Amino acid sequence: MKLLQYNTSVGLPELRQKLVKKMAWHDKIKTDNDHVMLTQGAQQGIDLTARLMLNKDDGLVVEGPTYIGALAAFQAYEPTFYEIPIKEDGMDVNFLEDTLKTHAVKMIYTVPDFQNPTGAVMSLEKRRQIIELANKYNVVILEDGTYRDLRYSGQNLPTIKSLDSEGRVIYVSSFSKILAPGLRLGWLTAEDKLFKALIGLKSGADIESSNLTMSIVNTYLDDNSLENHIALICNCYRQKKDAMLSAMRKNMPSIAQFTNPQGGFFIWLTMPKNFNMDKFVNQQQLSKSGVLIT
Ligand SMILES: Cc1ncc(COP(=O)(O)O)c(C=O)c1O
């Protein structure tokens, strides 16, 4: 049986073809079969990119705060981290520019859509500014679109990759949040030079993603429209988010402020500066375990 054999480091061609189409309609990314690779989740795309780009002490810009799993992947290559504060409309670009001006930075890692953990969505203006800055300071951008498909209201903004005219954005994404994380299936796309180097690293890491898993997902997508499936799960997640927000409005103290995100998994809660969050969290844990709180 073919699907129990080795196939190719970049992954099942039929599935890559579907992702080319998906990225064209959903993300406005123009790419082709020869520049898409299936990975073990977006996580492996992040790790391979870090392996390619980062040596000890190389400058790496990350949003503050950011996805902890990406930090774990980056840490292995011992870069120097520059943390750029994130606001509701994405990273602070003035702070970013100052950092790029004064430090040698090789790569920027960003989650522009429904960021983990803040839920922030980067504005279109900032997406354009970040690309301009990356061009000016010759920096590679690793764009993580893992939550991008989960939009419950409002309009999609262009991916940073779709604004990239110099081939300096590596775009990673995943089936984890739209099909199932246990599949361990994600993908990346990048321009020629970066892409070829990433193929070498992928085959060194694990030869290829599971042919069996890729075939299962490909067959599922032959029989089911991904677009319809995403619409269905967005409907379900929207209801969950609304239920969560109404419970928070009912139960949280009035000093608590929280966002109402247009998508993704994260509501960001802010308390006043003098609020003791450690004490609050400990109390919640105690109350969960049934110990009476006085
Ligand atoms: C921002 C972000 N990127 C990547 C990942 C990893 O996803 P995957 O399961 O596709 O490896 C996660 C997982 O939660 C995430 O939040």
Side-chain angles (χ1 to χ4, degrees):
M1 268 177 105
K2 250 170 82 183
L3 54 81
L4 294 179
Q5 294 299 331
Y6 289 118
N7 194 316
T8 148
S9 306
V10 283
L12 196 70
E14 295 86 335
L15 186 53
R16 280 186 283 131
Q17 191 56 49
K18 289 184 175 65
L19 290 169
V20 168
K21 285 197 190 142
K22 182 225 174 292
M23 283 189 275
W25 66 257
H26 190 262
D27 310 312
K28 304 284 177 283
I29 294 174
K30 284 194 202 118
T31 184
D32 57 38
N33 246 15
D34 296 333
H35 296 89
V36 176
M37 179 200 297
L38 275 306
T39 55
Q40 302 250 15
Q43 186 69 25
Q44 189 182 41
I46 295 169
D47 181 56
L48 294 178
T49 303
R51 200 173 301 184
L52 176 65
M53 293 302 304
L54 301 174
N55 293 312
K56 191 171 180 325
D57 300 330
D58 281 344
L60 169 68
V61 158
V62 294
E63 289 155 342
T66 192
Y67 165 51
I68 198 162
L71 291 177
F74 297 141
Q75 199 78 58
Y77 306 97
E78 301 181 67
T80 301
F81 288 93
Y82 298 103
E83 190 178 311
I84 311 295
I86 188 163
K87 302 183 169 179
E88 235 175 286
D89 63 346
M91 79 167 78
D92 180 336
V93 276
N94 294 329
F95 201 114
L96 173 65
E97 173 141 40
D98 286 346
T99 305
L100 296 178
K101 251 188 221 160
T102 48
H103 300 280
V105 168
K106 266 188 132 173
M107 187 166 90
I108 299 170
Y109 170 67
T110 177
V111 187
D113 292 292
F114 316 120
Q115 200 247 15
N116 180 355
T118 62
V121 175
M122 189 184 287
S123 66
L124 177 56
E125 200 191 342
K126 284 192 174 178
R127 290 170 199 242
R128 292 202 172 113
Q129 286 171 319
I130 280 186
I131 267 289
E132 269 171 34
L133 288 172
N135 290 343
K136 185 169 168 191
Y137 292 95
N138 192 22
V139 177
V140 163
I141 297 177
L142 171 56
E143 177 178 15
D144 183 342
T146 294
Y147 296 94
R148 184 174 161 80
D149 293 309
L150 302 178
R151 179 171 274 285
Y152 316 140
S153 58
Q155 289 292 314
N156 262 342
L157 294 174
T159 51
I160 299 177
K161 177 77 191 144
S162 70
L163 306 171
D164 174 25
S165 57
E166 296 193 358
R168 59 176 67 254
V169 180
I170 298 170
Y171 181 79
V172 300
S173 195
S174 177
F175 286 108
S176 283
K177 316 296 171 184
I178 52 174
L179 283 184
L183 293 166
R184 305 309 307 130
L185 203 56
W187 66 92
L188 66 78
T189 182
E191 256 35 71
D192 280 325
K193 218 172 126 203
L194 291 170
F195 189 73
K196 279 198 189 106
L198 287 164
I199 299 175
L201 293 175
K202 168 72 179 167
S203 74
D206 61 359
I207 303 179
E208 61 183 302
S209 295
S210 157
N211 207 11
L212 183 59
T213 305
M214 289 186 287
S215 303
I216 291 168
V217 172
N218 186 54
T219 305
Y220 175 79
L221 296 179
D222 276 338
D223 300 340
N224 298 275
S225 143
L226 186 58
E227 205 171 346
N228 291 349
H229 175 72
I230 289 174
L232 195 80
I233 57 169
C234 280
N235 208 17
C236 171
Y237 281 133
R238 185 186 304 110
Q239 289 173 30
K240 287 187 172 203
K241 182 200 73 161
D242 289 345
M244 176 81 176
L245 279 173
S246 81
M248 287 176 77
R249 283 187 198 112
K250 211 163 119 197
N251 296 301
M252 294 299 289
S254 59
I255 50 166
Q257 292 190 329
F258 41 87
T259 56
N260 179 356
Q262 294 192 329
F265 283 1
F266 307 101
I267 293 168
W268 188 247
L269 174 81
T270 319
M271 290 300 211
K273 274 211 162 59
N274 58 359
F275 185 82
N276 188 335
M277 187 57 88
D278 287 340
K279 192 170 159 205
F280 176 74
V281 170
N282 286 338
Q283 279 180 345
Q284 297 312 304
Q285 279 162 359
L286 284 174
S287 89
K288 254 201 217 155
S289 64
V291 178
L292 195 66
I293 296 176
T294 51

